[in-house]
Amino acid sequence: MDLRSQIDIERLPQHIAIIMDGNGRWAKEHNMPRVFGHKNGVKAVREATEAAAEIGIKYLTLYAFSTENWKRPKYEVGALMKLLVDTLDNEVKTLNKNNIRLQAIGDLERLPGRTLKALKEGIESTKNNDRMTLVLALNYSAKWEIVEATRKIAQKVKSGSMNPEDIDQHIFSKSLSTSGIPDPELLIRTSGENRLSNFLLWQMAYAELCFMSVYWPDFDKNKLFEAILDYQSRERRFGKTSEQLKS
Ligand code: FPP
């Protein structure tokens, strides 16, 4: 069945966010170490990015490393950071060829030097691309981001450049690390876990949540199309009634 041809191109989400989960369990199923799962996860990152760009999605955000992930065994954290550097080094050319811009959100300055360097180079070299923006969430957590935004706003109030009455949802959104990026309309989480895990909590206030049982390394273009079709089959009401939406 050709899923892609069933998608209504006029009603695409502008922004899709993905929690890539299940690399470890996928590896275990293959009797391989967890890092083997992460390596195969990179193939799925490529598939998701290509499929999203091909179909006309404007923003794709991938949760690649959370602030909680530092608690994993040192060896696994090191391997993930190395994988990121290698992937960025190898894939930036392809991003440029496909006119895809790279951005990152999270507490980036605390990443290892080599990871941060590769990331900054990737962001710089793709900054003029405008077909799609690929946002990597690295050392990211939504609660961290919300506290940071609050701090920025508090500083402005303290310095006298903003009044407390001026603070509204728009100002708050602009103070988040996703400033300038529209909120995701669709969240996908793989591996059968039904949680948000501290990801884009402010931005996903109205997102449709799509939980899929597939482990991340097995995610492919058709899985992305399946999630978009699921999204398009839902009625998005934003607090209104079905009747109001029809009028
Ligand atoms: C979750 O699976 C996956 C991660 C924490 C890391 C995701 C990283 C990649 C796919 C590779 C690099 C990414 C980029 C963007 C180049 P898990 O380890 O939590 O799996 P489990 O729940 O089965 O243990």
Side-chain angles (χ1 to χ4, degrees):
M1 191 177 37
D2 180 10
L3 294 177
R4 187 187 163 150
S5 63
Q6 295 173 45
I7 293 175
D8 179 354
I9 295 300
E10 303 296 319
R11 289 194 306 120
L12 285 175
Q14 272 199 87
H15 183 175
I16 300 179
I18 307 185
I19 301 177
M20 310 180 286
D21 198 7
N23 293 349
R25 278 163 285 167
W26 183 91
K28 196 168 182 201
E29 261 187 8
H30 290 76
N31 291 316
M32 294 297 277
R34 295 178 55 82
V35 172
F36 182 71
H38 297 316
K39 286 191 177 149
N40 279 274
V42 174
K43 280 190 215 152
V45 167
R46 221 175 282 130
E47 286 269 321
T49 309
E50 273 179 29
E54 262 172 44
I55 201 146
I57 303 298
K58 296 311 282 181
Y59 296 88
L60 177 68
T61 299
L62 304 178
Y63 205 0
F65 196 86
S66 76
T67 49
E68 286 84 21
N69 286 151
W70 296 110
K71 294 182 204 140
R72 293 188 173 205
K74 214 172 155 194
Y75 168 75
E76 184 174 340
V77 171
L80 269 169
M81 290 299 151
K82 183 171 182 317
L83 194 58
L84 264 162
V85 175
D86 293 348
T87 309
L88 287 164
D89 287 351
N90 292 330
E91 303 291 336
V92 167
K93 275 191 295 305
T94 319
L95 291 179
N96 275 323
K97 218 184 286 165
N98 288 287
N99 194 13
I100 298 171
R101 178 177 185 183
L102 181 70
Q103 284 198 331
I105 54 170
D107 194 357
L108 306 178
E109 296 301 324
R110 284 172 198 259
L111 290 170
R114 289 190 56 199
T115 312
L116 185 58
K117 183 168 174 280
L119 191 64
K120 282 187 173 164
E121 284 170 3
I123 292 171
E124 177 60 25
S125 111
T126 61
K127 70 176 181 203
N128 294 321
N129 297 342
D130 61 3
R131 180 180 178 202
M132 183 179 87
T133 300
L134 173 65
V135 184
L136 296 184
L138 283 166
N139 197 17
Y140 174 89
S141 87
K143 288 189 175 182
W144 163 82
E145 179 186 41
I146 289 169
V147 170
E148 281 301 301
T150 309
R151 234 181 237 152
K152 272 192 230 164
I153 293 171
Q155 281 297 346
K156 288 188 183 159
V157 172
K158 191 179 170 194
S159 70
S161 63
M162 189 184 284
N163 292 317
E165 310 81 67
D166 297 337
I167 303 168
D168 59 11
Q169 293 186 19
H170 178 69
I171 298 270
F172 201 85
S173 291
K174 271 186 31 186
S175 309
L176 295 169
S177 55
T178 47
S179 173
I181 299 175
D183 289 345
E185 299 97 324
L186 171 62
L187 167 85
I188 301 169
R189 182 174 188 149
T190 57
S191 91
E193 305 287 350
N194 300 352
R195 285 190 297 278
L196 294 181
S197 296
N198 217 345
F199 190 40
L200 301 174
L201 295 182
W202 170 279
Q203 298 88 336
M204 293 206 294
Y206 282 102
E208 294 295 333
L209 310 180
C210 178
F211 297 109
M212 307 180 90
S213 58
V214 62
Y215 288 150
W216 180 250
D218 287 331
F219 192 89
D220 60 10
K221 291 187 177 184
N222 267 329
K223 291 286 171 201
L224 188 85
F225 299 151
E226 200 180 308
I228 295 173
L229 283 168
D230 183 8
Y231 163 84
Q232 292 188 335
S233 74
R234 302 185 196 185
E235 184 184 59
R236 310 197 71 222
R237 295 210 302 268
F238 304 99
K240 296 181 181 170
T241 66
S242 293
E243 285 65 34
Q244 283 175 310
L245 287 178
K246 281 170 201 145
S247 60

